[in-house]
Amino acid sequence: MINRGIDFFNNEKYNEAEEVFEKIIQERIIEKDYRTALYYLGYIMCLREKFSEAKNIYKELLEISRVEHDMENSAIMYHQLGMVERLNGHLDKAIDYFMFEKNTRKCYLEDDFVGFSSNYYELALLHLRKSDVEKAKSYLDLAMMNGIISEDDTTIGICYKGLGDVEVHTGDLSKAKKWYCDSKRYFENAKDEHKIKEVQSMIDKL
């Protein structure tokens, strides 16, 4: 049943996905499926701007991870909580959660280069939204370094997209276009159609 819910989610059929996930959560027969259903339901709550519900979901998953001393999932839940706060416009709270994630990774997950890249990327964009361009660039440098080490095309593409976002913020649209085109190239290598369309839309707006 969990795979059916994930398929609905991936195809943006969120009502159907929510119905499946709610059933799994209510029944709680397989613990792994229960946690996966909660994770995806949190995403759906964010899409619907039900940030309080999303935050409660990820706090529950964080507490489960802490009890089980599961540092990888603890880091992931800090990341999700940061995402919730970012989407809700609470930038300083978001930064706090992403810093908790960063410290958890440094202590327990030092070889998770994709995870570090994603974390630094989020911190970069948060500081960009606060108009701290230098700090944003510094975090993007760290994100790109970890992305290159990971050799993950999607991760590297996301970093280039972030560099483009910085140049849009500073008004250098020609440089932004270059970074977005580099981003698109990596997404094409990864065959990530969703991100290809996303970055192409950004190029078209320049």
Side-chain angles (χ1 to χ4, degrees):
M1 186 184 290
I2 190 66
N3 290 333
R4 188 160 172 261
I6 293 170
D7 285 341
F8 280 137
F9 181 90
N10 289 337
N11 287 293
E12 300 182 2
K13 296 181 178 179
Y14 300 121
N15 289 336
E16 293 90 337
E18 182 177 2
E19 185 177 337
V20 173
F21 295 141
E22 289 280 13
K23 190 174 191 314
I24 292 169
I25 290 165
Q26 288 170 7
E27 294 177 349
R28 197 168 184 172
I29 297 171
I30 302 172
E31 185 64 18
K32 181 181 177 182
D33 288 355
Y34 170 80
R35 298 178 191 184
T36 302
L38 276 177
Y39 179 83
Y40 279 98
L41 187 61
Y43 261 113
I44 293 172
M45 293 300 103
C46 284
L47 291 171
R48 292 181 175 160
E49 298 186 353
K50 295 182 177 181
F51 299 117
S52 179
E53 290 91 331
K55 191 171 179 179
N56 288 337
I57 285 170
Y58 291 128
K59 279 188 171 182
E60 177 182 346
L61 288 170
L62 175 61
E63 185 58 29
I64 291 170
S65 300
R66 282 173 169 169
V67 168
E68 296 181 351
H69 304 289
D70 182 345
M71 294 300 105
E72 182 176 5
N73 274 314
S74 291
I76 290 169
M77 294 314 138
Y78 281 131
H79 189 96
Q80 295 305 106
L81 285 162
M83 177 193 71
V84 172
E85 297 292 5
R86 169 174 57 76
L87 291 171
N88 201 17
H90 300 157
L91 304 189
D92 289 330
K93 287 183 179 180
I95 288 171
D96 286 343
Y97 277 122
F98 286 121
M99 291 301 290
F100 280 129
E101 178 199 359
K102 178 171 74 89
N103 293 335
T104 301
R105 292 188 181 283
K106 282 191 170 182
C107 288
Y108 302 102
L109 305 162
E110 59 184 12
D111 295 329
D112 183 3
F113 301 112
V114 170
F116 271 115
S117 183
S118 179
N119 174 259
Y120 289 133
Y121 171 82
E122 289 283 356
L123 285 166
L125 293 197
L126 283 164
H127 284 290
L128 186 62
R129 285 181 63 177
K130 291 165 68 73
S131 295
D132 190 339
V133 174
E134 291 308 310
K135 191 166 280 189
K137 285 182 176 180
S138 177
Y139 275 121
L140 277 172
D141 286 343
L142 290 169
M144 182 65 79
M145 180 183 71
N146 281 273
I148 290 169
I149 294 171
S150 77
E151 299 182 340
D152 183 86
D153 285 330
T154 296
T155 299
I156 296 170
I158 288 170
C159 293
Y160 275 118
K161 187 175 83 66
L163 290 170
D165 292 341
V166 169
E167 298 306 336
V168 168
H169 185 87
T170 60
D172 192 337
L173 301 187
S174 62
K175 192 176 285 187
K177 185 173 183 179
K178 177 190 180 301
W179 292 133
Y180 285 150
C181 287
D182 287 340
S183 172
K184 182 182 175 185
R185 179 164 50 85
Y186 276 95
F187 291 149
E188 287 171 343
N189 290 343
K191 297 180 173 58
D192 191 327
E193 293 299 328
H194 177 75
K195 292 196 178 298
I196 292 169
K197 290 178 182 177
E198 179 187 4
V199 79
Q200 182 61 56
S201 174
M202 299 169 91
I203 293 169
D204 293 341
K205 291 176 183 176
L206 294 177

